[in-house]
mmCIF file of all heavy atoms in Angstrom:
data_model
loop_
_atom_site.group_PDB
_atom_site.id
_atom_site.type_symbol
_atom_site.label_atom_id
_atom_site.label_comp_id
_atom_site.label_asym_id
_atom_site.label_seq_id
_atom_site.Cartn_x
_atom_site.Cartn_y
_atom_site.Cartn_z
ATOM 1 N N ALA A 12 -13.152 -47.906 45.967
ATOM 2 C CA ALA A 12 -12.180 -47.715 47.046
ATOM 3 C C ALA A 12 -12.856 -48.072 48.363
ATOM 4 O O ALA A 12 -14.051 -47.833 48.548
ATOM 5 C CB ALA A 12 -11.698 -46.279 47.081
ATOM 6 N N SER A 13 -12.082 -48.614 49.251
ATOM 7 C CA SER A 13 -12.622 -48.953 50.559
ATOM 8 C C SER A 13 -12.765 -47.680 51.388
ATOM 9 O O SER A 13 -12.236 -46.616 51.037
ATOM 10 C CB SER A 13 -11.705 -49.953 51.265
ATOM 11 O OG SER A 13 -10.481 -49.329 51.590
ATOM 12 N N LEU A 14 -13.464 -47.773 52.499
ATOM 13 C CA LEU A 14 -13.629 -46.603 53.368
ATOM 14 C C LEU A 14 -12.284 -46.125 53.898
ATOM 15 O O LEU A 14 -12.047 -44.928 54.028
ATOM 16 C CB LEU A 14 -14.564 -46.946 54.527
ATOM 17 C CG LEU A 14 -16.029 -47.148 54.151
ATOM 18 C CD1 LEU A 14 -16.828 -47.580 55.378
ATOM 19 C CD2 LEU A 14 -16.610 -45.884 53.568
ATOM 20 N N ARG A 15 -11.398 -47.043 54.198
ATOM 21 C CA ARG A 15 -10.058 -46.670 54.692
ATOM 22 C C ARG A 15 -9.299 -45.900 53.638
ATOM 23 O O ARG A 15 -8.639 -44.902 53.944
ATOM 24 C CB ARG A 15 -9.289 -47.919 55.108
ATOM 25 C CG ARG A 15 -7.867 -47.631 55.541
ATOM 26 C CD ARG A 15 -7.346 -48.658 56.506
ATOM 27 N NE ARG A 15 -5.936 -48.650 56.771
ATOM 28 C CZ ARG A 15 -5.194 -47.622 57.147
ATOM 29 N NH1 ARG A 15 -5.717 -46.446 57.245
ATOM 30 N NH2 ARG A 15 -3.910 -47.747 57.398
ATOM 31 N N GLU A 16 -9.384 -46.345 52.386
ATOM 32 C CA GLU A 16 -8.692 -45.623 51.305
ATOM 33 C C GLU A 16 -9.278 -44.238 51.116
ATOM 34 O O GLU A 16 -8.552 -43.274 50.873
ATOM 35 C CB GLU A 16 -8.781 -46.425 50.015
ATOM 36 C CG GLU A 16 -7.956 -47.693 50.035
ATOM 37 C CD GLU A 16 -8.209 -48.566 48.828
ATOM 38 O OE1 GLU A 16 -9.318 -48.490 48.252
ATOM 39 O OE2 GLU A 16 -7.302 -49.329 48.463
ATOM 40 N N GLU A 17 -10.593 -44.095 51.222
ATOM 41 C CA GLU A 17 -11.221 -42.787 51.078
ATOM 42 C C GLU A 17 -10.837 -41.855 52.232
ATOM 43 O O GLU A 17 -10.693 -40.658 52.038
ATOM 44 C CB GLU A 17 -12.741 -42.933 51.002
ATOM 45 C CG GLU A 17 -13.210 -43.500 49.689
ATOM 46 C CD GLU A 17 -14.723 -43.546 49.591
ATOM 47 O OE1 GLU A 17 -15.407 -42.989 50.470
ATOM 48 O OE2 GLU A 17 -15.210 -44.151 48.632
ATOM 49 N N GLU A 18 -10.685 -42.414 53.440
ATOM 50 C CA GLU A 18 -10.276 -41.597 54.577
ATOM 51 C C GLU A 18 -8.834 -41.117 54.447
ATOM 52 O O GLU A 18 -8.464 -40.107 55.037
ATOM 53 C CB GLU A 18 -10.425 -42.393 55.875
ATOM 54 C CG GLU A 18 -11.860 -42.636 56.274
ATOM 55 C CD GLU A 18 -11.985 -43.539 57.478
ATOM 56 O OE1 GLU A 18 -10.951 -44.044 57.975
ATOM 57 O OE2 GLU A 18 -13.115 -43.748 57.935
ATOM 58 N N MET A 19 -8.011 -41.826 53.688
ATOM 59 C CA MET A 19 -6.605 -41.467 53.526
ATOM 60 C C MET A 19 -6.378 -40.348 52.512
ATOM 61 O O MET A 19 -5.308 -39.751 52.481
ATOM 62 C CB MET A 19 -5.789 -42.690 53.113
ATOM 63 C CG MET A 19 -5.638 -43.725 54.207
ATOM 64 S SD MET A 19 -4.797 -43.079 55.651
ATOM 65 C CE MET A 19 -3.188 -42.730 54.988
#
Side-chain angles (χ1 to χ4, degrees):
S13 68
L14 290 176
R15 176 153 168 52
E16 290 172 333
E17 287 184 9
E18 290 174 356
M19 290 299 295

